[in-house]
Amino acid sequence: MKLKELEKKPWYPGAVAACIGILFFVLLTNFSTVLSAIGSFLGNFRAVFLGIVFAYVLNPVASFFYFKVLKKMKTGQTRWGLAVALAVLSGLLLLLLLLGTLIPQLVQSVATFSENIDSYAASMIKMLENSPLKSFVDAEGLATLSQNALSSITNFVRENSGRILSSAANSGKGIITAVIAAILAVYLLIDKKRVMSGFWRFLRSILPPGKTEEIMDFSLRCHMILMNYLGQTLLDTLIVGLVNALFMIICRMDYVGLVSVVVAVTNLIPNFGPIIGMVIGGFVLLLVNPLHALMFVVFSIALQFVDGYILKPKLFSGTLGVSGLLILVASIVLGNMFGVWGMILSVPIAAILSFVWRDYVMPRREKKRRTASSKKAKEPKGEEEPKDAEKADGKNPSA
């Protein structure tokens, strides 16, 4: 029996509804298993997804080299390939600069901490004994903890060596995946025109006329929001990091590069990032010089005030068009769902949701309501319906 014949059966809609209900119930009762299976399946495409992200981030840099730096060259594939090569080289140099700044100072800070842990604990105990928090702190327990800290760390490493090796292996796999994704991103950028034209051609072949153009317009608006947010956020992060480094250099503080990079990176996280950076930087400086830690915390509060109320409004200048309340809600929800990356991307996602609601959902709802109201206004009243029906049939009402 053919499908068209089945659709005519009276029991067909009920059977379809029952099947959908059973499928939905099975999915809900096995939601964790289904989610794990989907995650495992999508994990096979991790390098592909990461490569698309790398290509998307590097595309504006390559476009800058193509239109600004290499503008005297003839337009062609060679010019675009050279622009892609310069973009990739710039990304590698930035990565090497960050690693060259972070790793030596991180190693130095760990070594200094392990060598001077007893003196740090003694100074902290002395400071706590002279503070109002004396009654709340167990000084003897803190001293014993500091004396046994190195042995405790050694025992922890010995007992969890398997987990540590597993984490190291996973980190190695992650590095290999990132390298493969970077190579894939280069190929995607070089063949960008061909890939995009093929993608839009495929959409035109499966969608009704006009829908592809709507999707293109929507994608362009989302792209502009993301590019504006990324560009302005990176510029704000660079300014905050440089100002923080300049302050620490003037005050002759230790670990200028490490703390400034931490402050700059955590500044990418809206609302909560500056607090995290201030706490981490203050703790690192507290182990070396408590006065420097206090100065750093006070300066961080002032810097974040200037950044939040003067610098960011000047940079963003209302281009995202999203309220602070929506950003706060989005950062909390997306942070709980996707962690740090969810919090970082909460601002552009909130902006996209805002313009979708404002420019797509609400106009269609209002248009639908106006159409329904106009139809209702054109409908004849209940008392006049019989007369209109009789006139349409050509009958005389008095007959």
Side-chain angles (χ1 to χ4, degrees), residues 211-254:
K211 289 295 182 181
T212 304
E213 284 67 25
E214 292 182 6
I215 295 176
M216 291 178 68
D217 179 68
F218 176 77
S219 303
L220 180 61
R221 295 188 64 176
C222 293
H223 170 73
M224 295 304 298
I225 288 175
L226 285 173
M227 287 297 101
N228 287 334
Y229 172 73
L230 288 176
Q232 294 158 356
T233 301
L234 290 177
L235 180 59
D236 176 71
T237 297
L238 180 63
I239 293 174
V240 170
L242 290 177
V243 171
N244 185 86
L246 181 62
F247 169 77
M248 294 183 68
I249 291 173
I250 293 175
C251 296
R252 297 182 179 180
M253 297 182 180
D254 297 316

Short mmCIF file of all heavy atoms in Angstrom, two decimals, residues 211-254:
data_model
loop_
_atom_site.label_atom_id
_atom_site.label_comp_id
_atom_site.label_asym_id
_atom_site.label_seq_id
_atom_site.Cartn_x
_atom_site.Cartn_y
_atom_site.Cartn_z
N LYS A 211 13.68 32.25 0.12
CA LYS A 211 14.11 31.85 1.47
C LYS A 211 15.63 31.94 1.61
O LYS A 211 16.14 32.31 2.67
CB LYS A 211 13.63 30.44 1.77
CG LYS A 211 12.13 30.32 2.00
CD LYS A 211 11.72 31.08 3.24
CE LYS A 211 10.22 30.92 3.51
NZ LYS A 211 9.80 31.68 4.70
N THR A 212 16.35 31.58 0.55
CA THR A 212 17.82 31.64 0.62
C THR A 212 18.30 33.06 0.84
O THR A 212 19.23 33.30 1.62
CB THR A 212 18.43 31.07 -0.67
OG1 THR A 212 17.94 29.75 -0.88
CG2 THR A 212 19.94 31.04 -0.59
N GLU A 213 17.65 34.04 0.17
CA GLU A 213 18.04 35.44 0.35
C GLU A 213 17.75 35.89 1.78
O GLU A 213 18.52 36.67 2.35
CB GLU A 213 17.29 36.31 -0.65
CG GLU A 213 17.82 36.25 -2.08
CD GLU A 213 17.62 34.90 -2.73
OE1 GLU A 213 16.68 34.18 -2.31
OE2 GLU A 213 18.39 34.55 -3.65
N GLU A 214 16.65 35.43 2.35
CA GLU A 214 16.35 35.76 3.75
C GLU A 214 17.42 35.19 4.68
O GLU A 214 17.85 35.86 5.63
CB GLU A 214 14.98 35.23 4.13
CG GLU A 214 13.82 35.92 3.44
CD GLU A 214 12.48 35.39 3.90
OE1 GLU A 214 12.47 34.56 4.83
OE2 GLU A 214 11.45 35.80 3.35
N ILE A 215 17.83 33.96 4.42
CA ILE A 215 18.88 33.34 5.24
C ILE A 215 20.20 34.07 5.07
O ILE A 215 20.95 34.28 6.03
CB ILE A 215 19.02 31.85 4.87
CG1 ILE A 215 17.74 31.09 5.24
CG2 ILE A 215 20.21 31.22 5.59
CD1 ILE A 215 17.76 29.64 4.83
N MET A 216 20.50 34.50 3.84
CA MET A 216 21.73 35.26 3.60
C MET A 216 21.71 36.58 4.35
O MET A 216 22.73 36.99 4.95
CB MET A 216 21.90 35.49 2.10
CG MET A 216 22.23 34.24 1.30
SD MET A 216 22.36 34.55 -0.48
CE MET A 216 23.84 35.56 -0.52
N ASP A 217 20.57 37.27 4.33
CA ASP A 217 20.46 38.54 5.06
C ASP A 217 20.60 38.32 6.57
O ASP A 217 21.30 39.08 7.26
CB ASP A 217 19.11 39.18 4.75
CG ASP A 217 18.92 40.49 5.49
OD1 ASP A 217 19.63 41.46 5.19
OD2 ASP A 217 18.05 40.54 6.40
N PHE A 218 19.95 37.27 7.07
CA PHE A 218 20.06 36.96 8.50
C PHE A 218 21.51 36.60 8.87
O PHE A 218 22.03 37.06 9.89
CB PHE A 218 19.12 35.80 8.83
CG PHE A 218 19.23 35.31 10.25
CD1 PHE A 218 18.64 36.02 11.28
CD2 PHE A 218 19.93 34.15 10.55
CE1 PHE A 218 18.75 35.59 12.59
CE2 PHE A 218 20.03 33.70 11.85
CZ PHE A 218 19.43 34.43 12.88
N SER A 219 22.17 35.79 8.04
CA SER A 219 23.56 35.40 8.31
C SER A 219 24.49 36.60 8.28
O SER A 219 25.43 36.70 9.08
CB SER A 219 24.01 34.36 7.29
OG SER A 219 23.18 33.23 7.30
N LEU A 220 24.23 37.53 7.35
CA LEU A 220 25.08 38.72 7.26
C LEU A 220 24.94 39.58 8.51
O LEU A 220 25.94 40.10 9.03
CB LEU A 220 24.70 39.53 6.01
CG LEU A 220 25.51 40.81 5.78
CD1 LEU A 220 26.99 40.49 5.61
CD2 LEU A 220 24.98 41.57 4.56
N ARG A 221 23.72 39.72 9.02
CA ARG A 221 23.53 40.51 10.23
C ARG A 221 24.20 39.85 11.44
O ARG A 221 24.83 40.52 12.26
CB ARG A 221 22.04 40.70 10.49
CG ARG A 221 21.33 41.53 9.43
CD ARG A 221 19.92 41.87 9.82
NE ARG A 221 19.88 42.73 11.01
CZ ARG A 221 18.77 43.23 11.51
NH1 ARG A 221 17.61 42.97 10.93
NH2 ARG A 221 18.79 43.98 12.60
N CYS A 222 24.07 38.53 11.54
CA CYS A 222 24.76 37.81 12.63
C CYS A 222 26.27 37.95 12.49
O CYS A 222 26.98 38.13 13.50
CB CYS A 222 24.37 36.33 12.60
SG CYS A 222 22.63 36.01 12.99
N HIS A 223 26.77 37.88 11.27
CA HIS A 223 28.22 38.02 11.04
C HIS A 223 28.70 39.40 11.46
O HIS A 223 29.76 39.53 12.10
CB HIS A 223 28.51 37.77 9.56
CG HIS A 223 29.90 38.12 9.15
ND1 HIS A 223 31.00 37.35 9.51
CD2 HIS A 223 30.40 39.16 8.42
CE1 HIS A 223 32.10 37.90 9.02
NE2 HIS A 223 31.77 38.99 8.35
N MET A 224 27.95 40.45 11.12
CA MET A 224 28.35 41.79 11.50
C MET A 224 28.35 41.97 13.02
O MET A 224 29.24 42.62 13.58
CB MET A 224 27.41 42.81 10.85
CG MET A 224 27.48 42.85 9.33
SD MET A 224 29.15 43.17 8.71
CE MET A 224 29.47 44.79 9.41
N ILE A 225 27.36 41.38 13.69
CA ILE A 225 27.33 41.46 15.15
C ILE A 225 28.55 40.78 15.75
O ILE A 225 29.22 41.32 16.65
CB ILE A 225 26.03 40.84 15.68
CG1 ILE A 225 24.83 41.74 15.37
CG2 ILE A 225 26.10 40.61 17.19
CD1 ILE A 225 23.50 41.14 15.75
N LEU A 226 28.86 39.58 15.27
CA LEU A 226 30.01 38.84 15.80
C LEU A 226 31.31 39.58 15.54
O LEU A 226 32.18 39.68 16.41
CB LEU A 226 30.05 37.44 15.19
CG LEU A 226 29.03 36.44 15.72
CD1 LEU A 226 29.07 35.15 14.91
CD2 LEU A 226 29.29 36.13 17.19
N MET A 227 31.48 40.11 14.31
CA MET A 227 32.72 40.80 13.97
C MET A 227 32.88 42.08 14.80
O MET A 227 33.97 42.38 15.28
CB MET A 227 32.74 41.13 12.48
CG MET A 227 32.97 39.92 11.59
SD MET A 227 34.60 39.13 11.85
CE MET A 227 34.15 37.72 12.87
N ASN A 228 31.78 42.84 14.95
CA ASN A 228 31.87 44.04 15.78
C ASN A 228 32.22 43.70 17.22
O ASN A 228 33.07 44.36 17.84
CB ASN A 228 30.53 44.80 15.74
CG ASN A 228 30.30 45.49 14.41
OD1 ASN A 228 31.25 45.82 13.71
ND2 ASN A 228 29.05 45.70 14.06
N TYR A 229 31.58 42.66 17.73
CA TYR A 229 31.84 42.28 19.12
C TYR A 229 33.28 41.80 19.29
O TYR A 229 33.97 42.22 20.24
CB TYR A 229 30.87 41.20 19.54
CG TYR A 229 31.19 40.61 20.89
CD1 TYR A 229 30.95 41.33 22.05
CD2 TYR A 229 31.76 39.34 21.01
CE1 TYR A 229 31.26 40.81 23.30
CE2 TYR A 229 32.06 38.81 22.25
CZ TYR A 229 31.81 39.54 23.38
OH TYR A 229 32.13 39.03 24.60
N LEU A 230 33.75 40.92 18.40
CA LEU A 230 35.10 40.39 18.53
C LEU A 230 36.14 41.49 18.39
O LEU A 230 37.10 41.58 19.19
CB LEU A 230 35.34 39.31 17.47
CG LEU A 230 34.62 37.97 17.69
CD1 LEU A 230 34.87 37.03 16.52
CD2 LEU A 230 35.07 37.32 18.99
N GLY A 231 35.98 42.35 17.39
CA GLY A 231 36.95 43.42 17.19
C GLY A 231 37.01 44.38 18.36
O GLY A 231 38.10 44.70 18.87
N GLN A 232 35.86 44.84 18.82
CA GLN A 232 35.83 45.79 19.91
C GLN A 232 36.27 45.16 21.23
O GLN A 232 36.94 45.80 22.05
CB GLN A 232 34.43 46.38 20.04
CG GLN A 232 34.03 47.22 18.84
CD GLN A 232 32.53 47.35 18.68
OE1 GLN A 232 31.76 46.75 19.43
NE2 GLN A 232 32.09 48.12 17.69
N THR A 233 35.91 43.89 21.43
CA THR A 233 36.31 43.21 22.66
C THR A 233 37.81 42.98 22.70
O THR A 233 38.46 43.17 23.75
CB THR A 233 35.56 41.88 22.80
OG1 THR A 233 34.16 42.11 22.80
CG2 THR A 233 35.94 41.17 24.09
N LEU A 234 38.39 42.56 21.59
CA LEU A 234 39.84 42.35 21.54
C LEU A 234 40.60 43.66 21.74
O LEU A 234 41.63 43.70 22.43
CB LEU A 234 40.24 41.70 20.22
CG LEU A 234 39.80 40.25 20.03
CD1 LEU A 234 40.18 39.75 18.65
CD2 LEU A 234 40.42 39.35 21.10
N LEU A 235 40.09 44.75 21.16
CA LEU A 235 40.73 46.04 21.37
C LEU A 235 40.63 46.47 22.83
O LEU A 235 41.61 46.95 23.42
CB LEU A 235 40.07 47.09 20.47
CG LEU A 235 40.62 48.52 20.57
CD1 LEU A 235 42.11 48.54 20.23
CD2 LEU A 235 39.85 49.46 19.67
N ASP A 236 39.47 46.28 23.43
CA ASP A 236 39.30 46.61 24.85
C ASP A 236 40.21 45.75 25.72
O ASP A 236 40.82 46.25 26.68
CB ASP A 236 37.83 46.40 25.24
CG ASP A 236 37.60 46.63 26.72
OD1 ASP A 236 37.66 47.79 27.17
OD2 ASP A 236 37.36 45.63 27.45
N THR A 237 40.32 44.46 25.39
CA THR A 237 41.19 43.56 26.15
C THR A 237 42.65 44.00 26.04
O THR A 237 43.39 43.99 27.03
CB THR A 237 41.02 42.13 25.63
OG1 THR A 237 39.68 41.70 25.86
CG2 THR A 237 41.98 41.18 26.33
N LEU A 238 43.07 44.38 24.84
CA LEU A 238 44.45 44.83 24.64
C LEU A 238 44.74 46.09 25.46
O LEU A 238 45.79 46.20 26.11
CB LEU A 238 44.70 45.08 23.15
CG LEU A 238 46.09 45.57 22.76
CD1 LEU A 238 47.14 44.51 23.11
CD2 LEU A 238 46.15 45.91 21.28
N ILE A 239 43.80 47.03 25.46
CA ILE A 239 44.01 48.27 26.21
C ILE A 239 44.09 47.98 27.71
O ILE A 239 44.98 48.49 28.41
CB ILE A 239 42.86 49.25 25.90
CG1 ILE A 239 42.93 49.70 24.45
CG2 ILE A 239 42.93 50.46 26.84
CD1 ILE A 239 41.77 50.56 24.01
N VAL A 240 43.18 47.14 28.22
CA VAL A 240 43.18 46.81 29.65
C VAL A 240 44.47 46.11 30.05
O VAL A 240 45.09 46.42 31.08
CB VAL A 240 41.95 45.95 30.00
CG1 VAL A 240 42.07 45.38 31.41
CG2 VAL A 240 40.68 46.76 29.88
N GLY A 241 44.92 45.16 29.22
CA GLY A 241 46.16 44.44 29.53
C GLY A 241 47.38 45.36 29.53
O GLY A 241 48.25 45.27 30.42
N LEU A 242 47.46 46.26 28.55
CA LEU A 242 48.61 47.18 28.48
C LEU A 242 48.60 48.18 29.63
O LEU A 242 49.66 48.47 30.21
CB LEU A 242 48.59 47.92 27.14
CG LEU A 242 48.90 47.07 25.90
CD1 LEU A 242 48.77 47.91 24.63
CD2 LEU A 242 50.29 46.46 25.99
N VAL A 243 47.43 48.70 29.97
CA VAL A 243 47.35 49.65 31.10
C VAL A 243 47.73 48.95 32.41
O VAL A 243 48.46 49.51 33.25
CB VAL A 243 45.94 50.25 31.19
CG1 VAL A 243 45.78 51.06 32.47
CG2 VAL A 243 45.66 51.13 29.98
N ASN A 244 47.27 47.71 32.59
CA ASN A 244 47.62 46.96 33.79
C ASN A 244 49.12 46.68 33.85
O ASN A 244 49.75 46.82 34.91
CB ASN A 244 46.84 45.64 33.81
CG ASN A 244 47.06 44.87 35.09
OD1 ASN A 244 46.39 45.08 36.09
ND2 ASN A 244 48.01 43.93 35.08
N ALA A 245 49.71 46.32 32.71
CA ALA A 245 51.16 46.07 32.68
C ALA A 245 51.95 47.34 32.97
O ALA A 245 52.96 47.32 33.69
CB ALA A 245 51.55 45.49 31.32
N LEU A 246 51.49 48.48 32.41
CA LEU A 246 52.19 49.75 32.67
C LEU A 246 52.14 50.11 34.14
O LEU A 246 53.14 50.56 34.73
CB LEU A 246 51.53 50.85 31.82
CG LEU A 246 52.15 52.25 31.93
CD1 LEU A 246 53.59 52.22 31.44
CD2 LEU A 246 51.33 53.26 31.13
N PHE A 247 50.99 49.91 34.79
CA PHE A 247 50.87 50.19 36.22
C PHE A 247 51.81 49.30 37.03
O PHE A 247 52.50 49.78 37.95
CB PHE A 247 49.43 49.98 36.67
CG PHE A 247 49.24 49.98 38.16
CD1 PHE A 247 49.24 51.16 38.87
CD2 PHE A 247 49.07 48.78 38.85
CE1 PHE A 247 49.08 51.16 40.25
CE2 PHE A 247 48.91 48.78 40.22
CZ PHE A 247 48.92 49.98 40.93
N MET A 248 51.87 48.01 36.71
CA MET A 248 52.72 47.10 37.46
C MET A 248 54.21 47.41 37.24
O MET A 248 55.02 47.26 38.17
CB MET A 248 52.42 45.66 37.06
CG MET A 248 51.02 45.19 37.44
SD MET A 248 50.71 43.47 37.04
CE MET A 248 51.81 42.65 38.20
N ILE A 249 54.57 47.85 36.03
CA ILE A 249 55.97 48.22 35.77
C ILE A 249 56.34 49.46 36.57
O ILE A 249 57.43 49.54 37.15
CB ILE A 249 56.18 48.43 34.26
CG1 ILE A 249 56.08 47.10 33.52
CG2 ILE A 249 57.54 49.07 33.99
CD1 ILE A 249 56.11 47.23 32.01
N ILE A 250 55.44 50.45 36.58
CA ILE A 250 55.73 51.68 37.33
C ILE A 250 55.88 51.39 38.82
O ILE A 250 56.77 51.95 39.49
CB ILE A 250 54.59 52.71 37.09
CG1 ILE A 250 54.60 53.17 35.64
CG2 ILE A 250 54.74 53.90 38.03
CD1 ILE A 250 53.46 54.09 35.28
N CYS A 251 55.04 50.49 39.35
CA CYS A 251 55.11 50.14 40.78
C CYS A 251 56.14 49.06 41.07
O CYS A 251 56.27 48.64 42.23
CB CYS A 251 53.74 49.67 41.26
SG CYS A 251 52.46 50.95 41.19
N ARG A 252 56.85 48.60 40.04
CA ARG A 252 57.91 47.59 40.19
C ARG A 252 57.40 46.31 40.83
O ARG A 252 58.00 45.76 41.77
CB ARG A 252 59.08 48.17 40.99
CG ARG A 252 59.77 49.35 40.31
CD ARG A 252 60.95 49.86 41.12
NE ARG A 252 61.60 50.97 40.45
CZ ARG A 252 62.66 51.63 40.91
NH1 ARG A 252 63.18 51.26 42.09
NH2 ARG A 252 63.19 52.61 40.24
N MET A 253 56.28 45.84 40.34
CA MET A 253 55.72 44.59 40.82
C MET A 253 56.29 43.40 40.06
O MET A 253 56.84 43.56 38.95
CB MET A 253 54.19 44.60 40.66
CG MET A 253 53.48 45.66 41.48
SD MET A 253 51.68 45.57 41.28
CE MET A 253 51.16 46.92 42.33
N ASP A 254 56.18 42.23 40.65
CA ASP A 254 56.65 41.01 40.02
C ASP A 254 55.57 40.42 39.11
O ASP A 254 54.39 40.74 39.23
CB ASP A 254 57.05 39.97 41.09
CG ASP A 254 58.21 40.46 41.94
OD1 ASP A 254 59.17 41.00 41.36
OD2 ASP A 254 58.14 40.33 43.18
#
